[in-house]
Amino acid sequence: MAVYVDHAFAHGDWGRWSGGGHLQADTPGELHAFAAGLGLQRRWFQHRPGRPDRDHYDLTAGLRRAALAAGAVAEDRAQGVARRRRVRALHGAAQPAGA
């Protein structure tokens, strides 16, 4: 089990999110515990029913650095896609076309 950070807001002007990313994990419990350790509020959690592979918290650049320093694993787009497929398979969620 692990917690992951992508670099979703690396390119372009995303305002306060520029340089940040998404915080995700293998399990919801692990995600919420890690997020709480970073000082994130549970109400900031973004969840899509039926799509546990998309559950995440948005991170600013500073919070992304803090998450990495606290042990989160940096992942690129390809690694994120592969991980989300594993999460969908674990939860039995339907795999959308092209995912």
Side-chain angles (χ1 to χ4, degrees):
M1 303 292 175
V3 177
Y4 308 92
V5 178
D6 66 18
H7 210 293
F9 310 120
H11 305 288
D13 182 7
W14 293 91
R16 72 178 297 209
W17 304 110
S18 292
H22 298 116
L23 181 71
Q24 296 181 298
D26 291 329
T27 67
E30 193 170 20
L31 176 60
H32 295 309
F34 196 94
L38 292 175
L40 301 177
Q41 296 180 27
R42 180 71 178 261
R43 65 186 174 97
W44 298 338
F45 173 62
Q46 296 184 45
H47 169 72
R48 267 198 200 161
R51 291 300 304 269
D53 55 305
R54 298 288 183 178
D55 291 352
H56 71 278
Y57 288 87
D58 286 340
L59 300 177
T60 61
L63 282 170
R64 183 179 188 279
R65 287 189 297 274
L68 292 169
V73 176
E75 66 180 12
D76 63 21
R77 181 170 164 73
Q79 292 166 322
V81 168
R83 181 185 50 75
R84 286 191 299 274
R85 284 184 176 146
R86 287 191 307 273
V87 169
R88 281 194 299 269
L90 278 173
H91 293 279
Q95 191 147 327

